[in-house]
Amino acid sequence: MIINHNLMANNALRNMNINSNNASKAMEKLSSGLRINRAGDDAAGLAISEKMRGQINGLNQASSNAQDSISLIQTAEGALNETHSILQRMRTLAVQSSNDTNTTTDRTAIQSEINQLTNEIDRIGNTTEFNTKKLLNGEVKGVNAEVKGTAVINNNTTLTDLKISASAGQATAIADKGKVNGAITVTRLNEGTTIGTAGDYEVIGADGNKIAATGNLTFATGEITFKDGQIASGTDINILGSFANMKAGESFTIVLNKHEAATTNTSNAITAQIGANSGQTMQIGIDDMRAAALGVRNASGDAIKVDDKYSANSAVSTIQNAIEKVSSQRSKLGAYQNRLEHTINNLGTSSENLTSAESRIRDVDMASEMSEYSKNNILSQAAQAMLAQANQQPQQVLQLLR
């Protein structure tokens, strides 16, 4: 018998400590609800679950970002709804002014209202903002859109020069009143940015066929359209046309279409972060919706003219083009919103599924862990009892001393 080393007590103490530690860990898991509270619990599981947590948090924030983007879009679209109403009123006034039952005084009053409505379009474009970010003044323009400009030639108008602006897509007629009795010259002026590749045009007749760049053309009522892709950059377009066949009441419309491939300008467009990872974005571009960009204000800053029947007749087409441009922009905003709504639904589904996967790794099974805690607690108490018994064994040596 030995007394310096109580091996039975050491064994009981070791097992008691092991059971106590296991019971303590089980209690920690039960109190936190987590299977992994420290890296030592499951090193690989911790790394995987933390990566999943990063994705879940990113997906939830991306969903919030998408909702904020929808709010921005709704702000812009709501403002454009009023711009649409103003343009519809301006078109009505232009049609009214085209009628010769109006006197000069009547047309002056109509022009006055047109001026005020044009100013209001500019005010809406300059002041509409979301979180102090201007939306309709061209600062967030991200996509090059088609721009139209029109000029109407009437049977009693001598067109001396038709200025076509490449930058704004405006066609401005400088005319003298009188009978059309000869050839006209249509000249492209290089103003601002070029159109399309190398700033080219082609001329399309009312029948949809391409017309030669130069030549003697005879027109009655009809339309020709300038598109990019025909005349070399920097070259004026000279079209000679005889309008001698035009009868009283007939007119001819020249339309300028600026066609460019829709390209994203990431430096100006609004970037919506709609994913949990870098690069998962979408671009939201809103064109300049002020009067000059819509073509209802000229380069001199004057509102579109409706103070005589010829100007008013031309203004109808110009304002209609502006209405179409606003309609196109509102349609794009609606498409953005619909896309973002689907994005939010997808993000919610992804976040839910990832949360479920992360839960299976990180969360504790309470029933199973309670059984484990009960087992370790009972073993710990049993080890304490055995330790007490082991500590009594050396006392038997005292019997030998009697």
Side-chain angles (χ1 to χ4, degrees):
M1 298 179 69
I2 61 175
I3 62 172
N4 286 328
H5 295 88
N6 190 343
L7 296 180
M8 288 185 295
N10 289 341
N11 181 268
L13 178 61
R14 179 177 60 82
N15 282 293
M16 185 185 72
N17 289 334
I18 291 173
N19 293 327
S20 295
N21 288 334
N22 289 338
S24 176
K25 289 181 179 179
M27 185 178 293
E28 182 182 30
K29 292 175 182 178
L30 288 170
S31 62
S32 68
L34 297 175
R35 187 180 69 86
I36 304 174
N37 291 283
R38 59 178 65 85
D41 293 336
D42 184 353
L46 176 69
I48 294 171
S49 67
E50 285 296 334
K51 184 166 61 176
M52 286 184 174
R53 281 186 174 185
Q55 287 292 301
I56 292 167
N57 292 335
L59 289 169
N60 292 338
Q61 184 57 52
S63 178
S64 178
N65 291 349
Q67 291 170 351
D68 290 340
S69 298
I70 287 178
S71 297
L72 180 148
I73 289 169
Q74 289 175 333
T75 300
E77 202 272 333
L80 289 181
N81 180 57
E82 196 57 38
T83 300
H84 245 157
S85 298
I86 292 172
L87 288 172
Q88 291 289 1
R89 174 58 178 166
M90 291 173 66
R91 190 184 189 282
T92 301
L93 291 172
V95 172
Q96 178 184 356
S97 184
S98 298
N99 193 12
D100 254 349
T101 58
N102 294 288
T103 65
T104 302
T105 302
D106 296 333
R107 289 191 171 111
T108 299
I110 292 173
Q111 183 65 57
S112 178
E113 183 174 352
I114 288 285
N115 294 342
Q116 292 302 315
L117 293 175
T118 304
N119 291 338
E120 181 60 17
I121 290 176
D122 277 339
R123 192 199 64 80
I124 292 173
N126 287 323
T127 61
T128 300
E129 60 183 42
F130 181 85
N131 193 27
T132 72
K133 182 185 290 290
K134 303 292 185 182
L135 300 180
L136 303 180
N137 65 350
E139 290 183 5
V140 295
K141 180 179 180 180
V143 178
N144 295 322
E146 179 184 85
V147 180
K148 294 182 178 180
T150 60
V152 176
I153 303 171
N154 295 281
N155 71 330
N156 58 349
T157 301
T158 299
L159 190 65
T160 58
D161 189 14
L162 177 66
K163 294 183 178 180
I164 299 175
S165 168
S167 59
Q170 296 174 343
T172 304
I174 301 175
D176 296 328
K177 301 299 183 293
K179 179 71 175 177
V180 172
N181 53 11
I184 66 166
T185 300
V186 180
T187 303
R188 171 185 170 230
L189 303 180
N190 293 305
E191 299 179 10
T193 58
T194 57
I195 291 180
T197 303
D200 299 340
Y201 290 100
E202 64 184 6
V203 182
I204 307 297
D207 58 359
N209 297 320
K210 185 166 65 176
I211 303 173
T214 60
N216 294 321
L217 307 175
T218 300
F219 297 115
T221 298
E223 178 180 292
I224 58 173
T225 300
F226 294 91
K227 294 183 180 180
D228 58 301
Q230 175 67 23
I231 309 301
S233 177
T235 302
D236 291 341
I237 298 176
N238 297 308
I239 301 177
L240 304 178
S242 174
F243 294 85
N245 293 336
M246 292 177 64
K247 300 178 176 63
E250 291 184 334
S251 64
F252 193 88
T253 303
I254 295 179
V255 181
L256 169 68
N257 287 345
K258 176 183 175 183
H259 289 270
E260 285 187 296
T263 57
T264 300
N265 185 343
T266 55
S267 63
N268 293 332
I270 296 170
T271 300
Q273 178 70 34
I274 57 172
N277 303 318
S278 175
Q280 295 179 346
T281 62
M282 68 173 284
Q283 304 295 326
I284 301 174
I286 305 177
D287 294 335
D288 190 342
M289 291 287 107
R290 293 174 296 182
L294 294 175
V296 294
R297 187 186 294 280
N298 61 28
S300 300
D302 298 326
I304 191 169
K305 296 300 182 183
V306 294
D307 50 359
D308 61 63
K309 63 181 178 182
Y310 309 114
S311 298
N313 194 297
S314 178
V316 173
S317 297
T318 301
I319 296 172
Q320 182 61 40
N321 291 335
I323 291 172
E324 291 176 4
K325 183 174 182 180
V326 175
S327 297
S328 175
Q329 183 60 69
R330 292 184 68 183
S331 177
K332 287 197 299 182
L333 291 175
Y336 290 142
Q337 180 172 341
N338 290 339
R339 175 183 173 181
L340 286 170
E341 288 174 351
H342 287 294
T343 297
I344 291 170
N345 293 337
N346 179 63
L347 290 171
T349 302
S350 299
S351 176
E352 179 183 347
N353 292 334
L354 268 179
T355 300
S356 177
E358 196 264 345
S359 174
R360 285 192 290 270
I361 296 173
R362 199 76 174 247
D363 291 345
V364 68
D365 184 335
M366 297 294 287
S368 174
E369 200 61 40
M370 182 60 75
S371 298
E372 186 71 18
Y373 170 74
S374 298
K375 180 192 76 171
N376 290 322
N377 195 33
I378 292 171
L379 288 174
S380 179
Q381 293 179 36
Q384 290 178 17
M386 292 305 99
L387 178 60
Q389 293 294 325
N391 286 334
Q392 295 295 324
Q393 291 296 323
Q395 295 182 13
Q396 297 178 8
V397 175
L398 298 176
Q399 299 297 326
L400 300 176
L401 299 176
R402 294 178 180 178

